[in-house]
Amino acid sequence: MLVPIQVIAIILAFSCHEHVAIASFSLVVPVNKHAGAAGNALYSAHAYFYKPQYPNARISTTTYFGNDQYVQQSLLIDIDAPFIWHSSFPHQESCEACPNPVTCGEFQCTDLRTAFSYQSPSCPLPTNHSMYDEYNDCEVCPVNVISPVTGECSQVIPTFDQFMFTNSYSGSGILSSDLYVTYPITGSTAPSTFDPFPSNVLGVMALSSSPYALPAYLRNPINRIIALCLPSNISTTGVLFLGNGPYYIDQSYVDAMGLLSYTMLVKHPKSFGYFIGVNAIVIKSKSILVPNNATTKISTLDPYTKLRTDIYNDVVRRFSKVTKRIPPAKSVTPFGLCFNTSVNGTTVGIKVPDIDLILQEGKKWTISTANSIKQVTEDVACLAVVDGGPTSEHAIVIGTHQFEDNFLMFNLENSTLGFSSSLLRNQTSCSNYDFSVVYN
Ligand SMILES: *[C@@H]1O[C@H](CO)[C@@H](O)[C@H](O)[C@H]1NC(C)=O
Ligand SMILES: *[C@@H]1O[C@H](CO)[C@@H](O)[C@H](O)[C@H]1NC(C)=O
Ligand SMILES: *[C@@H]1O[C@H](CO)[C@@H](O)[C@H](O)[C@H]1NC(C)=O
Ligand SMILES: *[C@@H]1O[C@H](CO)[C@@H](O)[C@H](O)[C@H]1NC(C)=O
Ligand SMILES: *[C@@H]1O[C@H](CO)[C@@H](O)[C@H](O)[C@H]1NC(C)=O
Ligand SMILES: *[C@@H]1O[C@H](CO)[C@@H](O)[C@H](O)[C@H]1NC(C)=O
Ligand SMILES: *[C@@H]1O[C@H](CO)[C@@H](O)[C@H](O)[C@H]1NC(C)=O
């Protein structure tokens, strides 16, 4: 079965009950946390790629749904990436998914190379000549990508792809056999491109607002909404919801939607990532004002929040003042403020005042101890923010340590961000979703 070119379609295959009314529907995908180098964390989720396009791809699992065979591949979650790209070369030099490439004359080729491309001055200019021998000039459309792990440039071959999410959903009246198939254009590349990625992660799942990222390929009844709940623990799974909920995050049927406050997403002229307006950072009723023209970005690649030096200095000064009673420790790179958590030889938990981000509508995103403090060694814990330098492009980049066990809903239908602050305050966490249970 060849994927019809330029057809974007959804197949909702119900084994029976096709008349079932769909009140609300969302797909649920497990999220894994990986420990990177230097204690950094990265997160992945998997999709099922249509197997006949990948007869020999390096994959972890092959699954049949009906007569169709799919292969499971884990992709790095990147809410900033302009399009999805992944390994589909069984060997370094030949592309399994490329019978169906975007050719150099198609508008998508121009789109992906210009408006929706990865931008870096270190990348070579695009050419119509592939680095893979099997193609003649212009048969394919080589496009530059930048590794979110190494920052290095490499080349992908965009193809008309097919993948599916399955076996996991949340909603009313939905049967367990539903498949959700979507036909994005994805970049294909060699497995070696992903060598520095966490093991078995062979691609990038773009969740940005770009028209070539996953949310753009979601169609009725799945709304263009992604809700991300990152786990704080490498040995447990968090959850990614696609669609408008309900977001039952544990077996008590708590709908995370009920825990959300909303802020407008702010458009950025040069990025498909997600930005919000932060007016001030408040620590124990004292405000640190954030300049009007400062931008605040949310990142799934930065492990710790990066603050421009002027803001960083104010935050660290204030935080050290309100934590005077906790014995200090010599600071541990990359952090600037650390505490000794060893009392008479035993590690004790510390409790620090909340850090509140005051957003443009006056809403408050509260960062409590679990998200502000990182236990670095047995007897040292640090304020988990880093100095982004005096001229950093964004005044604030909110890193993942600050929103693990928080529920974030990026709503591209109405350009809002829903945020819960720490779910631990509500006696639940991102790891409480039970993927073996049907929530409906
Ligand atoms: C690639 O080929 C297309 C179609 O012939 C042409 O419009 C485009 O300018 C070429 N791009 C480059 C970088 O050579
Ligand atoms: C992570 O989860 C495992 C298994 O549930 C648990 O033993 C461990 O203490 C957890 N680690 C942290 C840092 O919470
Ligand atoms: C932001 O405003 C400050 C103070 O008005 C100014 O010095 C700075 O150049 C502005 N930055 C940007 C990026 O516009
Ligand atoms: C923490 O304090 C104890 C004394 O209470 C001391 O023995 C230990 O060396 C300190 N650890 C660090 C990392 O400063
Ligand atoms: C630590 O040990 C000393 C001496 O044994 C004792 O006086 C003190 O109360 C202990 N401190 C704590 C916090 O347990
Ligand atoms: C955006 O949608 C969410 C959920 O669908 C809703 O709760 C929120 O009020 C909406 N926000 C705006 C500004 O329309
Ligand atoms: C969740 O916890 C926060 C902080 O303790 C509390 O203000 C809020 O009411 C709780 N929400 C629900 C729905 O329990």
Side-chain angles (χ1 to χ4, degrees):
M1 188 187 100
L2 267 183
V3 181
I5 290 183
Q6 292 170 18
V7 168
I8 293 165
I10 290 158
I11 301 164
L12 280 169
F14 299 96
S15 60
C16 54
H17 293 84
E18 272 158 71
H19 58 276
V20 167
I22 297 164
S24 202
F25 188 101
S26 53
L27 301 161
V28 186
V29 186
V31 172
N32 292 300
K33 176 176 178 177
H34 305 266
N40 288 359
L42 292 167
Y43 306 83
S44 69
H46 61 246
Y48 293 87
F49 290 87
Y50 188 54
K51 167 86 171 174
Q53 291 186 213
Y54 304 96
N56 300 302
R58 216 167 82 179
I59 40 97
S60 42
T61 326
T62 305
T63 318
Y64 276 96
F65 296 105
N67 293 323
D68 288 337
Q69 204 178 8
Y70 286 85
V71 295
Q72 193 193 79
Q73 208 170 47
S74 285
L75 310 179
L76 191 74
I77 290 175
D78 185 353
I79 60 172
D80 207 34
F83 52 86
I84 300 159
W85 48 290
H86 66 124
S87 163
S88 51
F89 289 55
H91 313 294
Q92 292 302 339
E93 68 291 341
S94 77
C95 178
E96 292 282 351
C98 298
N100 225 344
V102 174
T103 61
C104 80
E106 286 176 280
F107 76 90
Q108 292 96 336
C109 180
T110 315
D111 270 11
L112 291 170
R113 280 178 175 172
T114 55
F116 307 112
S117 69
Y118 281 92
Q119 303 287 356
S120 166
S122 68
C123 292
L125 288 173
T127 89
N128 285 336
H129 178 71
S130 160
M131 63 192 271
Y132 304 106
D133 297 341
E134 62 201 297
Y135 306 107
N136 298 320
D137 276 8
C138 220
E139 251 173 26
V140 294
C141 165
V143 167
N144 289 328
V145 290
I146 298 166
S147 165
V149 175
T150 63
E152 280 166 18
C153 268
S154 50
Q155 198 183 75
V156 299
I157 308 292
T159 71
F160 295 93
D161 208 340
Q162 171 177 351
F163 71 72
M164 178 185 72
F165 295 100
T166 186
N167 254 3
S168 36
Y169 59 87
S170 155
S172 39
I174 302 303
L175 303 164
S176 59
S177 59
D178 51 354
L179 311 178
Y180 185 88
V181 178
T182 185
Y183 299 96
I185 291 174
T186 71
S188 281
T189 187
S192 61
T193 313
F194 303 100
D195 282 348
F197 277 47
S199 64
N200 294 322
V201 177
L202 290 170
V204 172
M205 186 181 286
L207 296 178
S208 71
S209 63
S210 157
Y212 291 91
L214 179 61
Y217 293 104
L218 301 176
R219 293 289 184 276
N220 188 33
I222 309 279
N223 289 333
R224 290 179 304 129
I225 300 175
I226 54 167
L228 190 58
C229 202
L230 297 181
S232 55
N233 192 322
I234 286 170
S235 48
T236 61
T237 47
V239 53
L240 167 68
F241 291 88
L242 308 173
N244 67 345
Y247 307 123
Y248 298 131
I249 46 172
D250 62 27
Q251 290 192 62
S252 67
Y253 283 71
V254 170
D255 186 345
M257 187 97 91
L259 303 171
L260 302 183
S261 302
Y262 296 91
T263 187
M264 292 307 293
L265 288 168
V266 177
K267 283 215 162 34
H268 189 283
K270 287 186 300 190
S271 170
F272 302 105
Y274 298 108
F275 294 82
I276 56 174
V278 175
N279 290 347
I281 300 173
V282 173
I283 303 171
K284 249 194 163 173
S285 67
K286 195 147 190 186
S287 280
I288 293 154
L289 294 182
V290 175
N292 241 333
N293 58 4
T295 50
T296 298
K297 176 178 178 163
I298 302 172
S299 168
T300 47
L301 301 176
D302 288 277
Y304 310 109
T305 293
K306 258 195 234 162
L307 301 171
R308 201 175 57 203
T309 302
D310 52 319
I311 302 170
Y312 176 83
N313 287 340
D314 287 350
V315 166
V316 168
R317 198 174 304 125
R318 177 70 188 150
F319 204 78
S320 78
K321 205 169 231 171
V322 302
T323 51
K324 271 226 164 70
R325 281 178 308 151
I326 306 171
K330 204 160 159 273
S331 62
V332 176
T333 325
F335 307 119
L337 179 63
C338 297
F339 307 99
N340 187 336
T341 57
S342 163
V343 175
N344 285 357
T346 43
T347 303
V348 294
I350 55 170
K351 175 93 177 78
V352 298
D354 291 342
I355 299 174
D356 290 328
L357 304 182
I358 307 301
L359 308 183
Q360 57 187 353
E361 298 83 358
K363 299 282 173 50
K364 191 169 79 177
W365 178 341
T366 296
I367 300 170
S368 36
T369 307
N371 295 111
S372 62
I373 298 294
K374 161 101 180 162
Q375 192 75 41
V376 180
T377 63
E378 253 177 35
D379 54 359
V380 178
C382 301
L383 173 64
V385 299
V386 300
D387 185 348
T391 57
S392 65
E393 186 187 0
H394 307 298
I396 303 175
V397 177
I398 301 177
T400 50
H401 188 75
Q402 273 69 46
F403 60 91
E404 287 180 344
D405 287 324
N406 282 227
F407 196 89
L408 297 186
M409 172 190 176
F410 299 91
N411 188 337
L412 300 183
E413 303 286 348
N414 68 10
S415 275
T416 55
L417 170 73
F419 59 96
S420 66
S421 298
S422 179
L423 296 173
L424 306 179
R425 303 186 310 166
N426 299 97
Q427 287 76 50
T428 188
S429 80
C430 293
S431 299
N432 281 358
Y433 192 91
D434 184 347
F435 286 92
S436 68
V437 169
V438 172
Y439 292 80
N440 61 7

